[in-house]
Amino acid sequence: MKIAAAAYTMEVLTSWEAYAEKLERWVAEAGADLLVFPEYGSMELATITGRAGELESSIDAVTELMPEVCALHARLAAEYGCHILSASAPERMGETTVNRARLFAPSGDTAVCDKQTMTRFERETWGISPGDPLVVLDTALGRLAVLICYDAEFPLLGRAVVEAGADILLVPSCTDTHHGWNRVRIGAMARALENQCITVQAPTVGDCPWSPAVDENFGAAGIYGPPDVGFAADGVIAQGALDQPGWVRADVDVSAIARVRAEGAQFNHRHWGEQTARTKAQQVRLR
């Protein structure tokens, strides 16, 4: 299958129609079976209502538009015959606000994917909370899971979905420094190494001075695998230019995952369980 990861630029939108036209243009240009949009790429929706400049009201604006956003993604997934991971959005869920993305299948099926671990900004300033538990999505393309941005920096979250059957981990991200992008990128590459799977990072890029939440965005889209049999020596399947908007695409054979787990130079995936008995360290004092 062909995977496309977006390095996505958010803009000031003059109307709902402007957003719908933009999204359809991106989907049409992707030319792929699986499209991955970034974390918080939906924040541009708040500009339609003129409420993007304040943290709390921007969440309300985005939440209110979610039914229309979901219907649009579902239509595009069906018309273009592809699976689309939507740009995540802060959504009100009663008393709490979660960071939520959705996977839309061409069949019309939809699944919710929530962020598990909040960054300092999300928890200390914005009031975003962990959402529903991790899920593994059994699709026509294979078994997928979503680790939103910071989640990809934690090995146990990646391992949990891989042990539940995931072969491809989708990592939408939104980072306001190159340091942040690299943390998520290195996390995504590490998850591919230790689980012998494929990871897909899709970041936001470009300045958005109209939003205190996503005002600066840095990164490059990338698709990664384990540096082992059947994959590139550095694990990079495809990676875009830094801070340049557009799609990064790669043809991926899911059977390569089964092969590297069975025939690889190392068996990281198989040997994970051996760590359990060896994770209790003793303190030794030297004088």
Side-chain angles (χ1 to χ4, degrees):
M1 64 172 158
K2 186 180 290 294
I3 297 175
Y8 187 75
T9 50
M10 293 173 284
E11 356 177 321
V12 174
L13 301 167
T14 57
S15 64
W16 167 260
E17 290 73 22
Y19 169 73
E21 289 173 6
K22 177 184 179 180
L23 185 65
E24 181 157 9
R25 183 172 68 252
W26 273 79
V27 171
E29 291 174 353
D33 304 298
L34 173 61
L35 284 58
V36 183
F37 283 96
E39 179 187 37
Y40 288 133
S42 295
M43 289 307 300
E44 64 183 350
L45 290 162
T47 65
I48 296 173
T49 66
R51 289 183 281 168
E54 199 275 324
L55 288 175
E56 289 299 313
S57 62
S58 65
I59 295 175
D60 294 331
V62 173
T63 300
E64 290 164 12
L65 286 169
M66 273 301 112
E68 290 89 345
V69 171
C70 291
L72 175 60
H73 280 78
R75 176 178 69 79
L76 293 175
E79 288 183 6
Y80 287 86
C82 60
H83 289 70
I84 303 174
L85 182 72
S86 65
S88 82
E91 295 187 40
R92 302 286 193 202
M93 297 291 148
E95 299 276 322
T96 63
T97 302
V98 302
N99 182 355
R100 172 165 289 179
R102 291 177 172 83
L103 186 73
F104 296 86
S107 65
D109 288 344
T110 305
V112 168
C113 307
D114 289 345
K115 191 171 184 176
Q116 307 297 304
T117 315
M118 302 301 107
T119 62
R120 289 191 61 188
F121 173 74
E122 286 173 312
R123 65 180 71 202
E124 296 174 12
T125 304
W126 212 7
I128 311 296
S129 301
D132 291 344
L134 291 167
V135 293
V136 173
L137 309 173
D138 192 358
T139 76
L141 302 177
R143 294 182 297 273
L144 317 175
V146 179
L147 299 177
I148 298 179
C149 200
Y150 195 35
D151 284 347
E153 297 181 34
F154 295 92
L156 295 182
L157 295 180
R159 188 62 191 183
V161 291
V162 168
E163 288 185 339
D167 292 323
I168 301 175
L169 309 184
L170 310 183
V171 183
S173 67
C174 177
T175 53
D176 61 1
T177 64
H178 288 132
H179 290 81
W181 167 70
N182 275 301
R183 286 194 296 269
V184 181
R185 178 185 64 84
I186 292 167
M189 295 183 77
R191 305 296 78 81
L193 165 66
E194 67 205 14
N195 295 298
Q196 295 181 300
C197 66
I198 292 167
T199 57
V200 184
Q201 184 182 8
T204 50
V205 296
D207 292 338
C208 300
W210 40 265
S211 171
V214 292
D215 52 336
E216 295 180 296
N217 302 274
F218 297 94
I223 302 170
Y224 308 109
D228 206 327
V229 171
F231 293 91
D234 60 359
V236 178
I237 299 172
Q239 185 170 291
L242 196 60
D243 302 328
Q244 295 301 307
W247 289 108
V248 169
R249 304 172 185 82
D251 290 309
V252 172
D253 183 356
V254 179
S255 67
I257 299 169
R259 181 190 173 201
V260 74
R261 290 176 180 175
E263 304 174 10
Q266 303 298 336
F267 293 133
N268 303 72
H269 175 268
R270 187 184 308 177
H271 295 157
W272 176 276
E274 295 180 9
Q275 299 177 73
T276 306
R278 300 184 178 275
T279 51
K280 294 181 180 179
Q282 295 181 337
Q283 188 180 92
V284 176
R285 176 176 293 180
L286 300 179
R287 296 179 181 271

